[in-house]
Coordinates of all heavy atoms in Angstrom, one line a residue:
K1 N 0.8 -1.2 0.0 CA 0.0 0.0 0.0 C 0.9 1.2 0.0 O 1.9 1.3 0.7 CB -0.9 0.0 1.2 CG -2.0 -1.0 1.2 CD -2.9 -0.8 2.5 CE -4.0 -1.8 2.5 NZ -4.9 -1.6 3.7
Y2 N 0.4 2.3 -0.7 CA 1.1 3.5 -0.8 C 0.1 4.7 -0.5 O -1.0 4.6 -0.9 CB 1.8 3.8 -2.1 CG 2.9 3.0 -2.5 CD1 2.8 2.0 -3.5 CD2 4.2 3.1 -1.9 CE1 3.9 1.2 -3.8 CE2 5.2 2.3 -2.3 CZ 5.1 1.4 -3.3 OH 6.1 0.6 -3.6
A3 N 0.6 5.7 0.2 CA -0.1 6.9 0.2 C -0.3 7.5 -1.2 O 0.7 7.4 -2.0 CB 0.5 7.9 1.1
D4 N -1.4 8.1 -1.5 CA -1.6 8.6 -2.8 C -0.5 9.6 -3.2 O -0.1 9.7 -4.4 CB -2.9 9.3 -2.9 CG -4.1 8.3 -2.9 OD1 -3.9 7.1 -3.2 OD2 -5.2 8.8 -2.7
S5 N 0.0 10.4 -2.2 CA 1.0 11.4 -2.5 C 2.3 10.9 -2.9 O 3.2 11.7 -3.5 CB 1.1 12.3 -1.3 OG 1.6 11.5 -0.2
V6 N 2.6 9.6 -2.7 CA 3.9 9.1 -3.1 C 3.9 8.0 -4.2 O 4.9 7.6 -4.6 CB 4.6 8.5 -1.8 CG1 4.7 9.5 -0.7 CG2 4.0 7.2 -1.4
K7 N 2.7 7.7 -4.6 CA 2.6 6.7 -5.7 C 3.3 7.1 -6.9 O 3.2 8.3 -7.4 CB 1.1 6.4 -6.0 CG 0.3 5.6 -5.0 CD -1.1 5.5 -5.4 CE -1.9 4.7 -4.3 NZ -3.3 4.5 -4.7
G8 N 4.1 6.2 -7.5 CA 4.9 6.5 -8.7 C 6.2 7.1 -8.4 O 7.1 7.2 -9.3
R9 N 6.5 7.5 -7.1 CA 7.8 8.1 -6.8 C 8.5 7.2 -5.8 O 9.8 7.2 -5.8 CB 7.6 9.5 -6.2 CG 6.9 10.4 -7.2 CD 6.9 11.9 -6.6 NE 6.1 12.0 -5.4 CZ 6.6 12.4 -4.2 NH1 7.9 12.7 -4.1 NH2 5.8 12.4 -3.1
F10 N 7.8 6.6 -4.9 CA 8.4 5.8 -3.8 C 8.2 4.3 -4.1 O 7.2 3.9 -4.7 CB 7.8 6.1 -2.4 CG 8.1 7.5 -1.9 CD1 8.7 8.5 -2.7 CD2 7.8 7.8 -0.6 CE1 9.0 9.7 -2.1 CE2 8.1 9.0 0.0 CZ 8.7 10.0 -0.8
A11 N 9.2 3.5 -3.7 CA 9.0 2.0 -3.8 C 9.5 1.4 -2.5 O 10.6 1.6 -2.0 CB 9.9 1.5 -5.0
I12 N 8.6 0.5 -2.0 CA 8.9 -0.2 -0.7 C 9.2 -1.6 -1.1 O 8.7 -2.2 -2.0 CB 7.7 -0.1 0.2 CG1 8.1 -0.7 1.6 CG2 6.5 -0.9 -0.3 CD1 7.1 -0.4 2.7
S13 N 10.2 -2.2 -0.4 CA 10.6 -3.6 -0.5 C 11.0 -4.1 0.8 O 11.2 -3.4 1.8 CB 11.7 -3.7 -1.6 OG 12.8 -3.0 -1.1
R14 N 11.1 -5.4 0.8 CA 11.3 -6.1 2.1 C 12.1 -7.4 1.9 O 12.0 -8.1 0.9 CB 9.9 -6.4 2.7 CG 9.9 -7.2 4.0 CD 8.4 -7.3 4.4 NE 8.3 -8.2 5.6 CZ 7.2 -8.4 6.3 NH1 6.1 -7.7 6.0 NH2 7.2 -9.2 7.3
D15 N 13.0 -7.6 2.9 CA 13.7 -8.9 3.0 C 13.2 -9.6 4.2 O 13.7 -9.3 5.4 CB 15.2 -8.6 3.0 CG 16.0 -9.9 2.9 OD1 15.6 -11.0 3.4 OD2 17.2 -9.8 2.5
N16 N 12.4 -10.6 4.1 CA 11.8 -11.3 5.2 C 12.8 -12.0 6.1 O 12.8 -12.0 7.3 CB 10.7 -12.2 4.8 CG 9.5 -11.6 4.2 OD1 9.1 -10.4 4.7 ND2 8.8 -12.2 3.3
A17 N 13.8 -12.6 5.4 CA 14.8 -13.3 6.1 C 15.7 -12.4 7.0 O 16.2 -12.9 8.0 CB 15.7 -14.0 5.1
K18 N 15.8 -11.2 6.7 CA 16.6 -10.2 7.4 C 15.8 -9.3 8.3 O 16.3 -8.4 8.9 CB 17.5 -9.4 6.5 CG 18.5 -10.3 5.7 CD 19.4 -9.4 4.8 CE 20.4 -10.3 4.1 NZ 21.2 -9.4 3.2
N19 N 14.4 -9.4 8.3 CA 13.6 -8.5 9.0 C 13.9 -7.1 8.6 O 14.0 -6.2 9.5 CB 13.7 -8.7 10.5 CG 12.9 -9.9 11.0 OD1 12.2 -10.6 10.2 ND2 13.1 -10.3 12.3
T20 N 14.1 -6.8 7.4 CA 14.5 -5.5 6.9 C 13.5 -5.0 5.9 O 13.0 -5.7 5.0 CB 15.9 -5.6 6.3 OG1 16.8 -6.1 7.2 CG2 16.3 -4.2 5.8
V21 N 13.2 -3.7 6.0 CA 12.3 -3.0 5.0 C 13.1 -1.8 4.5 O 13.8 -1.2 5.2 CB 11.0 -2.6 5.7 CG1 11.2 -1.6 6.8 CG2 10.0 -2.1 4.6
Y22 N 12.8 -1.6 3.2 CA 13.5 -0.5 2.5 C 12.4 0.5 1.9 O 11.3 0.0 1.5 CB 14.4 -1.0 1.3 CG 15.3 -2.1 1.7 CD1 15.0 -3.4 1.6 CD2 16.6 -1.7 2.2 CE1 15.9 -4.4 2.0 CE2 17.5 -2.7 2.6 CZ 17.1 -4.1 2.5 OH 18.0 -5.0 2.9
L23 N 12.8 1.7 1.7 CA 12.0 2.7 1.0 C 12.8 3.5 0.1 O 13.6 4.3 0.5 CB 11.2 3.6 2.0 CG 10.2 4.5 1.4 CD1 9.0 3.7 0.8 CD2 9.7 5.5 2.4
Q24 N 12.7 3.2 -1.2 CA 13.4 4.0 -2.2 C 12.5 5.2 -2.5 O 11.4 5.1 -3.0 CB 13.7 3.2 -3.5 CG 14.3 4.0 -4.6 CD 15.7 4.5 -4.3 OE1 16.5 3.8 -3.6 NE2 16.0 5.7 -4.7
M25 N 13.1 6.4 -2.3 CA 12.3 7.6 -2.5 C 12.9 8.5 -3.6 O 14.1 8.9 -3.5 CB 12.2 8.5 -1.2 CG 11.7 7.7 0.0 SD 11.5 8.7 1.4 CE 13.2 9.1 1.8
D26 N 12.2 8.6 -4.7 CA 12.7 9.4 -5.9 C 11.8 10.6 -6.1 O 10.7 10.7 -5.6 CB 12.6 8.5 -7.1 CG 13.6 7.3 -7.0 OD1 14.7 7.5 -6.5 OD2 13.2 6.2 -7.5
S27 N 12.3 11.6 -6.8 CA 11.6 12.8 -7.2 C 11.1 13.5 -5.9 O 9.9 13.9 -5.8 CB 10.5 12.5 -8.1 OG 10.9 11.9 -9.3
L28 N 11.9 13.6 -4.9 CA 11.5 14.2 -3.6 C 11.2 15.6 -3.8 O 11.8 16.3 -4.6 CB 12.6 14.0 -2.6 CG 12.7 12.5 -2.0 CD1 14.1 12.3 -1.4 CD2 11.6 12.3 -1.0
N29 N 10.2 16.1 -3.0 CA 9.8 17.5 -3.0 C 9.7 17.9 -1.6 O 9.7 17.1 -0.7 CB 8.5 17.7 -3.8 CG 7.4 16.9 -3.2 OD1 7.0 17.1 -2.1 ND2 6.8 16.0 -4.0
P30 N 9.7 19.2 -1.3 CA 9.7 19.8 0.0 C 8.5 19.2 0.9 O 8.7 19.1 2.1 CB 9.6 21.3 -0.1 CG 10.2 21.5 -1.5 CD 9.9 20.3 -2.3
E31 N 7.4 18.8 0.3 CA 6.3 18.3 1.0 C 6.6 16.9 1.6 O 5.9 16.4 2.5 CB 5.1 18.2 0.2 CG 4.4 19.5 -0.2 CD 5.2 20.4 -1.1 OE1 5.8 19.8 -2.0 OE2 5.3 21.6 -0.9
D32 N 7.7 16.3 1.1 CA 8.1 14.9 1.6 C 8.9 15.0 2.9 O 9.2 14.0 3.5 CB 8.9 14.2 0.5 CG 8.0 13.8 -0.7 OD1 6.9 13.4 -0.5 OD2 8.6 14.0 -1.8
A33 N 9.3 16.2 3.3 CA 10.2 16.4 4.4 C 9.5 16.0 5.7 O 8.3 16.2 5.8 CB 10.7 17.8 4.5
G34 N 10.3 15.5 6.6 CA 9.7 15.1 7.9 C 10.5 14.0 8.6 O 11.6 13.7 8.1
V35 N 10.0 13.5 9.7 CA 10.6 12.4 10.3 C 9.9 11.1 9.8 O 8.7 11.0 9.9 CB 10.5 12.5 11.8 CG1 11.1 11.2 12.5 CG2 11.1 13.7 12.3
Y36 N 10.7 10.2 9.3 CA 10.2 8.9 8.8 C 10.4 7.8 9.9 O 11.5 7.6 10.3 CB 10.9 8.6 7.5 CG 10.4 9.4 6.3 CD1 10.6 10.7 6.2 CD2 9.6 8.7 5.3 CE1 10.1 11.5 5.2 CE2 9.1 9.5 4.2 CZ 9.3 10.8 4.2 OH 8.8 11.5 3.1
Y37 N 9.3 7.2 10.2 CA 9.3 6.2 11.2 C 9.1 4.8 10.6 O 8.1 4.6 9.9 CB 8.2 6.4 12.3 CG 8.3 7.7 13.0 CD1 7.7 8.9 12.6 CD2 9.0 7.8 14.2 CE1 7.8 10.1 13.2 CE2 9.1 9.0 14.9 CZ 8.5 10.1 14.4 OH 8.6 11.3 15.1
C38 N 10.0 3.9 10.9 CA 9.8 2.5 10.5 C 8.7 1.9 11.4 O 8.6 2.2 12.6 CB 11.1 1.8 10.8 SG 11.1 0.0 10.3
Y39 N 7.9 1.1 10.7 CA 6.7 0.5 11.4 C 6.7 -1.0 11.2 O 7.1 -1.5 10.1 CB 5.5 1.2 10.8 CG 4.2 0.4 11.1 CD1 3.6 0.4 12.3 CD2 3.6 -0.4 10.1 CE1 2.4 -0.3 12.6 CE2 2.5 -1.2 10.3 CZ 1.9 -1.1 11.6 OH 0.7 -1.8 11.8
M40 N 6.2 -1.7 12.2 CA 6.0 -3.1 11.9 C 4.9 -3.6 12.8 O 4.6 -3.1 13.9 CB 7.3 -3.9 12.1 CG 7.8 -4.1 13.5 SD 7.3 -5.7 14.2 CE 8.2 -5.8 15.7

């Protein structure tokens, strides 16, 4: 699932074996600024 505001610009992926999640963020704009919290 993606927030509408990031669709087409962000890509989430996950490595289950490593309990790791990634977020590739492209075409960043000032509205994307903030504190990003990992969630599980």
Side-chain angles (χ1 to χ4, degrees):
K1 289 184 179 179
Y2 292 107
D4 288 342
S5 60
V6 307
K7 285 180 180 177
R9 300 187 297 121
F10 290 12
I12 190 170
S13 60
R14 173 175 175 172
D15 186 332
N16 291 330
K18 296 180 179 180
N19 284 353
T20 302
V21 63
Y22 307 94
L23 186 68
Q24 176 65 40
M25 305 187 292
D26 297 322
S27 302
L28 285 161
N29 59 61
E31 288 71 37
D32 295 316
V35 179
Y36 282 67
Y37 297 91
C38 183
Y39 161 79
M40 72 99 170

